[in-house]
Amino acid sequence: DVKVTQSSRYLVKRTGEKVFLECVQDMDHENMFWYRQDPGLGLRLIYFSYDVKMKEKGDIPEGYSVSREKKERFSLILESASTNQTSMYLCASRGRQNSYEQYFGPGTRLTVT
Amino acid sequence: AQSVTQLGSHVSVSEGALVLLRCNYSSSVPPYLFWYVQYPNQGLQLLLKYTTGATLVKGINGFEAEFKKSETSFHLTKPSAHMSDAAEYFCAVTAAGRRALTFGSGTRLQVQP
């Protein structure tokens, strides 16, 4: 079974803090994704990575950056957290095979006060 | 560009009743379609997917969906709802050569005893 883990289930940070959200997958997947989930808006893609050190912006990249130094690990960085970044953050991975399905982690609920 | 519309942010059914969750997509190329389920405080779990071949696809927990190209729809059904089906359901679309999924805004299913 594919396993995607996220470093924290719940996180509370103060406005202006630098925040790191970590995601690790154990299936040697090439593609990894960061989404944020907000009520009524579904999941919106922030960034994704298709290989080590390679990344592409998603639909809502403003205020975020990412890092992928190792294939199994994909980090989301909030350079200076703001209250409008309070949300659920979901990480996902996908292999290169043609199944196209993504495997999700349990999510990190981030609150910025 | 691709998009997904899920009609009805909340659906309530009685236990044992038919479940019908609606999904319409927009895509300029042949779509690959997915339904995911999210139980409270968890990540997303794949219910079923359509890529090519048979247009009626069966998934886990007794759910199925039919790809109707003429109607650009991929509605999710289950003949008899169970209390354990209460969750949020997301429809998603992608296409060959694309890495990311585009999600709908989700439908929360309530099952009344």
Side-chain angles (χ1 to χ4, degrees):
Chain A
D1 273 359
V2 176
K3 194 162 180 69
V4 180
T5 57
Q6 296 184 229
S7 51
S8 304
R9 293 299 305 274
Y10 300 92
L11 210 52
V12 180
K13 296 292 182 180
R14 294 195 181 275
T15 300
E17 278 193 80
K18 190 168 186 176
V19 181
F20 292 86
L21 303 183
E22 305 283 337
C23 175
V24 176
Q25 50 94 3
D26 67 354
M27 281 300 291
D28 202 36
H29 282 170
E30 290 76 16
N31 301 282
M32 296 187 74
F33 306 83
W34 275 107
Y35 296 90
R36 67 175 281 175
Q37 181 183 7
D38 300 288
L41 297 178
L43 277 73
R44 293 179 291 166
L45 182 65
I46 304 171
Y47 267 97
F48 68 97
S49 169
Y50 51 92
D51 204 346
V52 174
K53 298 190 186 295
M54 307 303 289
K55 61 186 179 184
E56 281 195 27
K57 293 180 180 179
D59 300 318
I60 52 164
E62 296 78 18
Y64 303 94
S65 62
V66 290
S67 173
R68 194 163 180 206
E69 297 297 318
K70 293 185 177 181
K71 191 175 186 179
E72 68 271 18
R73 188 179 299 270
F74 190 36
S75 302
L76 179 69
I77 304 156
L78 286 66
E79 296 289 343
S80 177
S82 64
T83 55
N84 63 13
Q85 292 179 310
T86 291
S87 186
M88 170 72 92
Y89 290 87
L90 291 164
C91 175
S93 74
R94 199 202 98 190
R96 190 175 292 163
Q97 300 87 342
N98 291 335
S99 67
Y100 289 88
E101 64 191 81
Q102 294 183 12
Y103 298 85
F104 284 82
T108 296
R109 187 167 294 282
L110 172 67
T111 303
V112 183
T113 62
Chain B
Q2 296 182 309
S3 66
V4 174
T5 301
Q6 291 185 239
L7 288 173
S9 58
H10 288 83
V11 170
S12 182
V13 300
S14 298
E15 194 173 17
L18 172 73
V19 175
L20 170 61
L21 304 183
R22 298 177 187 275
C23 171
N24 287 89
Y25 69 90
S26 172
S27 179
S28 57
V29 295
Y32 295 163
L33 295 156
F34 302 81
W35 276 100
Y36 282 86
V37 61
Q38 185 181 35
Y39 298 103
N41 298 316
Q42 294 187 26
L44 275 66
Q45 178 183 359
L46 181 69
L47 269 180
L48 50 79
K49 64 181 179 184
Y50 168 79
T51 52
T52 57
T55 56
L56 180 63
V57 292
K58 296 186 185 298
I60 61 172
N61 302 338
F63 284 93
E64 62 182 37
E66 187 171 10
F67 169 60
K68 292 188 177 181
K69 184 179 177 182
S70 61
E71 299 177 9
T72 61
S73 69
F74 191 58
H75 301 331
L76 183 71
T77 60
K78 181 174 181 178
S80 177
H82 193 273
M83 296 296 290
S84 61
D85 295 327
E88 189 154 23
Y89 292 79
F90 292 93
C91 183
V93 65
T94 189
R98 290 175 55 92
R99 291 191 175 91
L101 293 173
T102 300
F103 284 86
S105 55
T107 297
R108 186 167 297 279
L109 175 67
Q110 286 184 313
V111 181
Q112 308 287 351

